[in-house]
Each structure stands twice: as C-alpha cells, then as structure tokens.
Amino acid sequence: MGTKNNVTEFVLFGLFQSREMQLVCFVVFSLIHVLTVLGNLLVIIIINASKTLNAPMYFFLSHLSFADMCYPSATTPKMIANSFMERKTISFNGCMTQLFSAHFFGCTEIFLLTAMAYDRYVAICRPLHYTAIMDRWKCGLLAGASWLGGFLHSILQALLTVQLPFCGPNEIDNFFCDVHPLLKLACADTYVVGLIVMVNSSMITLVSFIILIISYVVILLNLRNQSSEGWRKALSTCGSHIITVLLVLLPPMFMYTRPSTTLAADKLVILFNIVMPPLLNPLIYTLRNNEVKNAMRKLFRVEGSMGEK
C-alpha cells in the first residue's frame, strides 16, 4: 500500500481508567480466569479418565473444554497484567498474535457447538443408526474440521490486518487487539478489508446460528411422540446446549455482522463473550448431566482411596 508502518506497539485503554476499578478488575478477572481454566481442565480430565464417558458427545465436550480453556487465555492474562500498568502497551507482533488466537479459539468453539448439535440430532432423531453414523472416525473428522475451520477464519482475519499500514495514532479503546479497532487505526482505505472481515465473520456466526436453531427445532419436533421421561432427558440435554449456543453466538453476531465500526458497548459485549461462556460451560455440562457427575464422584473416590493408602 506504499505507506510506511511506523507503529511498533499499540496502547490499550483497557476497561476502565479509574485506578480503583482497575484493582477490582484485577481481583475479579484473576479469580474468573483461574476458575475457568480449572473448571475446563477438570472436565477434560474426567472425560479422559472415565471408562463410561466414551460417547461422541463427551468426545466433543473435551474438545470444547480445551477451546474454552484457551479462548480467554489469549486475552485475559494480558488484561490482568495491564491492571498494574500506567501505560498499557502491547507489541505489534503480540497484537497480531492476540488477534489470531482470540478468533481461532472463539471460532473453533462455534464449530464444535455445531458438531455437538449434529451429534444430538442423530442421537435423538436417528437412534437406531446412531452408532453407525457417529463412529470414531466421523467424530474425529468433525472435530478436526472444527479446528481447521477456526484456523482458516482466524488466519484470514490476521493476514488482512497485518498487511495494513499503521503510521499513528496507535491507541486502541479496548482491552485487547480486535479487528475493528485495528481497522480504524490503519492509515489507508479499509473499506474492502472491512467488507471481507464482515462477510467472513457474518457467514460463520449467522450460518452456524441458523443451523443450530433449525437442528434443535427439528429435535424438539421429533420428541413430541416420546414418553415423558424420554422427553425430559432429551430436553435437559438440548436445553444445556441451547443455553451455550445463545451465550456463545449472540455477542459475536452483534460484534461482527455489521460494517467495520466501533460502538461504546463493544468492549462489554466481547468481554462477556470471552469470559462468561468458558466459565459457565463446565457448570452447564456437569451440573445438568448425571453421567458426568457420577464419573466425577468415582474419580474423586478412587483418588481418595489411593491417598489413604
């Protein structure tokens, strides 16, 4: 583009300018991040250690927990560390790495939820063919496709952004490097890039949301003729998935399905998306699932007996 890139670092404004609120943020988000990592790590350990949690749903859940553990880790530690900094800076390379990582794990999470919805659809609507359709190879293929889709989405976002010229100013009114604030800082016409970014993100969020809603509507329609016990069990499983889908997909639909502009509410919306679903998903999938709770009790019982010896 011909314009020299003079920016070697960016200044992040963070969530709040008040010193007192920054201290509150440090305490609150440090606690949330530790709970998020431990909660998702516990789910991964339970699923891999248990001999009973070998259904495809738990295979996808272990991948989802890993993505949920990494997604906030791409941005939250830097935000926590910046709470003590008078001047909150991030290097150019660090900024692009943060942009790639956040979109990679966030997008992979969406694709994994879509794979889990397909698994529930087959389990409830085609139970006699479930084991044949959802075999180990197909589950691995769906999980691999989810990670590949997340990578392709995020590498496109990063490549479109890194090639832009930044010649100042370098201040980002956010707590991490996201695509819209960076496009705003570029000293070049970003209309085409912004359009590609919007189409890329809109296609993923909107299409995934539509597929997920349709799949759960079809599932609920197929449950009409089942017994009340089967209805309650299936509804409990689907209910937890629907809650997760809404938590994960509504914020990015608000953020990325519009032209490249920044709004005052963006910071809080994306903060909710980064922090809350990864924190709540272990609770949603364990407290509402008797198989996971039983596997957890067995795991702790075995560890307790080994400790006594």
Side-chain angles (χ1 to χ4, degrees):
M1 290 191 177
T3 306
K4 186 179 179 181
N5 191 346
N6 297 321
V7 173
T8 58
E9 65 178 17
F10 293 97
V11 178
L12 300 170
F13 283 175
L15 289 173
F16 302 101
Q17 299 302 313
S18 166
R19 194 65 188 162
E20 291 76 14
M21 288 303 300
Q22 288 179 18
L23 182 60
V24 171
C25 286
F26 169 78
V27 174
V28 170
F29 291 113
S30 295
L31 179 61
I32 288 176
H33 188 61
V34 169
L35 291 175
T36 299
V37 172
L38 291 179
N40 285 287
L41 185 61
L42 179 62
V43 171
I44 295 171
I45 292 172
I46 290 170
I47 291 173
N48 285 277
S50 173
K51 296 179 180 179
T52 58
L53 301 179
N54 50 15
M57 181 177 72
Y58 301 113
F59 171 76
F60 292 122
L61 181 56
S62 65
H63 279 266
L64 181 67
S65 294
F66 181 74
D68 280 342
M69 193 166 57
C70 296
Y71 182 33
S73 298
T75 56
T76 307
K78 181 65 176 176
M79 179 181 68
I80 293 170
N82 280 345
S83 301
F84 292 106
M85 304 294 180
E86 191 68 32
R87 191 168 182 266
K88 304 170 177 59
T89 60
I90 184 170
S91 68
F92 183 88
N93 291 336
C95 183
M96 296 304 150
T97 302
Q98 198 176 60
L99 169 66
F100 171 82
S101 302
H103 280 265
F104 174 48
F105 293 113
C107 184
T108 301
E109 183 183 35
I110 292 173
F111 286 136
L112 286 171
L113 286 173
T114 307
M116 292 174 75
Y118 176 70
D119 171 69
R120 290 300 84 204
Y121 164 78
V122 177
I124 294 172
C125 299
R126 303 188 64 186
L128 298 179
H129 304 281
Y130 178 66
T131 54
I133 296 174
M134 299 301 294
D135 58 25
R136 181 179 291 273
W137 186 84
K138 289 190 181 72
C139 290
L141 188 64
L142 285 171
S146 297
W147 288 100
L148 178 61
F151 174 80
L152 293 176
H153 161 75
S154 56
I155 198 68
L156 177 60
Q157 302 286 74
L159 289 177
L160 287 170
T161 308
V162 76
Q163 53 85 34
L164 292 172
F166 296 94
C167 45
N170 64 339
E171 296 175 334
I172 299 175
D173 187 15
N174 210 328
F175 61 92
F176 82 108
C177 290
D178 201 7
V179 62
H180 287 325
L182 287 170
L183 292 181
K184 189 177 178 182
L185 293 180
C187 47
D189 184 6
T190 60
Y191 175 78
V192 175
V193 174
L195 191 62
I196 296 172
V197 166
M198 184 186 71
V199 171
N200 180 23
S201 300
S202 298
M203 287 290 290
I204 291 169
T205 53
L206 287 176
V207 171
S208 297
F209 184 75
I210 291 170
I211 290 173
L212 287 163
I213 294 301
I214 290 174
S215 66
Y216 285 119
V217 168
V218 172
I219 288 171
L220 293 176
L221 289 175
N222 275 270
L223 289 172
R224 289 179 301 177
N225 299 325
Q226 288 200 13
S227 64
S228 58
E229 180 63 29
W231 166 267
R232 280 196 300 270
K233 184 178 179 181
L235 193 61
S236 175
T237 303
C238 292
S240 62
H241 289 203
I242 292 171
I243 292 170
T244 304
V245 166
L246 294 176
L247 288 173
V248 169
L249 275 171
L250 289 182
M253 285 173 64
F254 171 80
M255 288 286 299
Y256 303 115
T257 57
R258 64 172 195 258
S260 184
T261 55
T262 54
L263 302 177
D266 284 354
K267 283 196 289 188
L268 294 179
V269 171
I270 198 64
L271 177 67
F272 177 88
N273 181 248
I274 290 173
V275 171
M276 294 312 294
L279 173 67
L280 296 177
N281 280 350
L283 299 176
I284 292 172
Y285 286 107
T286 55
L287 294 181
R288 296 174 61 88
N289 190 306
N290 288 326
E291 290 181 334
V292 176
K293 287 190 286 187
N294 291 334
M296 193 185 302
R297 293 190 193 100
K298 288 179 182 178
L299 179 64
F300 289 143
R301 197 177 301 132
V302 169
E303 289 185 351
S305 60
M306 289 177 64
E308 290 174 3
K309 293 178 182 178

